[in-house]
Amino acid sequence: MIYFLKNSIKNSNSDIVENAIRRFSVKRYTSLDLQKSYFNISEDKYFLGLEGSDDLKITRIRTPFESFFPKVIVSFSKNKGFEMYKIRFSLLSTFVFAILFLGVIQSVFLQIEEKKFSYDFLFLTMIFIIFLGFSFAEIELTRFKIKKAIFNFVKTSVGKIDEK
């Protein structure tokens, strides 16, 4: 699959990031592209995780109301530490993106060829913009959950150290 965004986690220890992601993930054994990610597990789990030989992939656990958001999959490389991650769409979200993008491109060519306005172009463009808006929202929510997992891990780890 094609990763379209890379992001780094600034001012953090890669061991802390790795432990935080692992602690707040529910382990899965099949591809995250095929997993349903909108169900309520509990308040202390934020991600579904799949560990490979070279990377750890996660996707955000979503509520049923967020099921219409495109699913994004985040990949942390084990070789490079957990200071950087890559983001991609799931298989279904990639397919929807491709269909919408090709539909908009085809509508643009038909607009140029016929030299008259068509409402199909407007409809497809609006649907594509909505899809991109939901994608942006899902990426930001996933980034927020990663930061929240790190913060909560550090907070609980420091609290356990102070008690001893």
Side-chain angles (χ1 to χ4, degrees):
M1 296 303 290
I2 299 170
Y3 291 93
F4 59 86
L5 186 63
K6 289 183 181 180
N7 197 6
S8 62
I9 301 173
K10 297 178 175 132
N11 302 328
S12 62
N13 184 347
S14 63
D15 291 334
I16 290 174
V17 174
E18 179 180 3
N19 291 327
I21 295 299
R22 289 181 188 280
R23 178 174 177 203
F24 291 102
S25 295
V26 178
K27 191 171 185 176
R28 294 291 186 231
Y29 299 98
T30 59
S31 174
L32 294 178
D33 291 306
L34 307 175
Q35 291 285 325
K36 177 179 80 165
S37 66
Y38 52 91
F39 52 88
N40 296 326
I41 289 182
S42 67
E43 293 292 322
D44 63 337
K45 299 295 182 185
Y46 305 146
F47 308 106
L48 297 177
L50 175 68
E51 188 162 2
S53 58
D54 296 334
D55 59 355
L56 175 67
K57 294 179 183 150
I58 60 171
T59 189
R60 186 176 69 87
I61 295 175
R62 302 177 291 173
T63 64
F65 299 110
E66 297 170 329
S67 64
F68 56 87
F69 282 20
K71 184 194 292 188
V72 295
I73 297 176
V74 177
S75 177
F76 290 92
S77 176
K78 291 180 182 178
N79 301 334
K80 297 179 182 176
F82 280 71
E83 297 170 356
M84 186 199 64
Y85 57 88
K86 301 181 289 187
I87 299 175
R88 69 171 173 90
F89 282 130
S90 70
L91 192 60
L92 179 62
S93 298
T94 301
F95 179 73
V96 170
F97 175 82
I99 293 297
L100 289 173
F101 181 72
L102 292 174
V104 169
I105 296 298
Q106 181 185 14
S107 292
V108 167
F109 283 132
L110 288 176
Q111 294 289 325
I112 293 170
E113 185 178 284
E114 294 179 4
K115 296 181 181 163
K116 66 178 185 176
F117 183 74
S118 172
Y119 287 102
D120 292 342
F121 170 72
L122 184 63
F123 178 73
L124 281 173
T125 304
M126 290 304 296
I127 296 295
F128 187 62
I129 289 171
I130 290 169
F131 180 84
L132 291 177
F134 283 153
S135 298
F136 178 75
E138 178 65 22
I139 290 168
E140 289 303 313
L141 285 170
T142 302
R143 285 179 179 168
F144 173 74
K145 286 291 187 176
I146 290 171
K147 290 177 184 176
K148 185 176 178 181
I150 294 167
F151 176 77
N152 287 341
F153 180 77
V154 169
K155 183 173 77 172
T156 57
S157 296
V158 170
K160 288 180 181 178
I161 292 171
D162 289 342
E163 291 174 3
K164 291 181 182 179

